[in-house]
Amino acid sequence: MTDPAAAPPEQRPRTPWVVGVSGASGTPYAAAVLRGLIDAGESVDLVVSRASRLTLLDETGISFRDSHWHEDLAQWLARGADGKPDTFTGLDLSGVRHWSAGDLAAGPSSGSYPVKGMLIVPASTASVAGVALGLSKDLLQRAASVTLKERRKLVVAVRETPLNGQTLKHLVTLDEAGAVVLPASPAFYAGATHIQDLVDFVAGRALDAAGVPHGLYRRWEGELGRGSRTP
């Protein structure tokens, strides 16, 4: 039997990362993670929840439409965290596939559909609850449940403060099920001088948890004072 890994890259089976974008504030985090995956040469299956489209419109002015998702995604990913358009250019979106959040027959809804894992960025408390309770009320929640049952990597970048007791219980449930609970909490030791640096730190930590290489932030090397120096 032929080993798929031995085939040329263009002939290997597509095995994407699923990226779920929920309705929590923090669409720049999602954009940074998507750019990081694309820059790493990874394929992406994108699920943008209905609630997140309202957040995206509010935070960026961009309408994300199923019928024009490619153009809307390109506009979104080109935008910097400070709101400036065309900050990031030259992104190759050919490896990105979009699935409607209401499509429960989509590929990521089945465990037999090959994926590397899933990142929910940002993760609202509602999406956290839905995944923890196994509600599968939309494709984002269903894909996350499938990721857990198949023992694949699931990174949940929760973006909410303060957290109530019920949400904390849901996060413990996800941790016990094998997910990585990753609060969208930027650090300052990497020498951030711009809002994009803070966003990229969180995105980089999410990619670290998924095992995807990147160069989004300066890593700690055991030397005090580096965060106050010009990179």
Side-chain angles (χ1 to χ4, degrees):
M1 181 179 292
T2 303
D3 181 4
E10 65 276 7
Q11 296 179 13
R12 295 174 190 169
R14 182 178 181 274
T15 310
W17 285 95
V18 179
V19 176
V21 186
S22 80
S25 176
T27 54
Y29 291 131
V33 165
L34 288 165
R35 286 192 297 264
L37 289 169
I38 292 168
D39 287 344
E42 299 285 351
S43 297
V44 175
D45 275 18
L46 178 63
V47 181
V48 181
S49 76
R50 290 187 175 92
S52 70
R53 300 176 194 222
L54 297 177
T55 307
L56 182 64
L57 180 63
D58 183 52
E59 293 184 345
T60 69
I62 297 171
S63 296
F64 193 91
R65 303 158 294 175
D66 287 341
S67 57
H68 298 278
W69 71 268
H70 195 276
E71 302 97 306
D72 297 338
L73 179 63
Q75 183 183 2
W76 177 21
L77 297 191
R79 187 183 183 90
D82 59 0
K84 292 182 180 179
D86 301 322
T87 298
F88 300 95
T89 58
L91 290 171
D92 181 6
L93 302 184
S94 62
V96 180
R97 183 173 184 178
H98 165 256
W99 299 95
S100 173
D103 185 3
L104 291 177
S109 69
S110 172
S112 66
Y113 181 80
V115 303
K116 293 182 177 178
M118 182 175 183
L119 302 95
I120 306 178
V121 186
S124 65
T125 55
S127 65
V128 165
V131 178
L133 297 174
L135 298 182
S136 295
K137 74 169 195 174
D138 62 8
L139 181 59
L140 188 154
Q141 293 183 15
R142 172 59 185 169
S145 295
V146 168
T147 301
L148 288 176
K149 81 179 182 69
E150 297 295 327
R151 302 296 191 265
R152 296 166 180 159
K153 290 183 179 179
L154 175 63
V155 181
V156 180
V158 61
R159 215 304 312 160
E160 183 74 48
T161 190
L163 296 172
N164 64 32
Q166 198 61 50
T167 297
L168 291 170
K169 291 176 183 177
H170 291 152
L171 293 173
V172 169
T173 296
L174 292 180
D175 176 77
E176 291 174 343
V180 175
V181 175
L182 192 144
S185 177
F188 297 86
Y189 62 76
T193 59
H194 189 276
I195 186 175
Q196 189 67 56
D197 299 327
L198 298 175
V199 168
D200 285 347
F201 180 89
V202 172
R205 294 298 285 147
L207 294 176
D208 286 344
V212 176
H214 66 87
L216 287 175
Y217 68 89
R218 186 170 62 190
R219 298 182 182 278
W220 175 252
E221 296 179 350
E223 182 181 353
L224 294 175
R226 293 192 72 220
S228 63
R229 304 174 195 171
T230 301

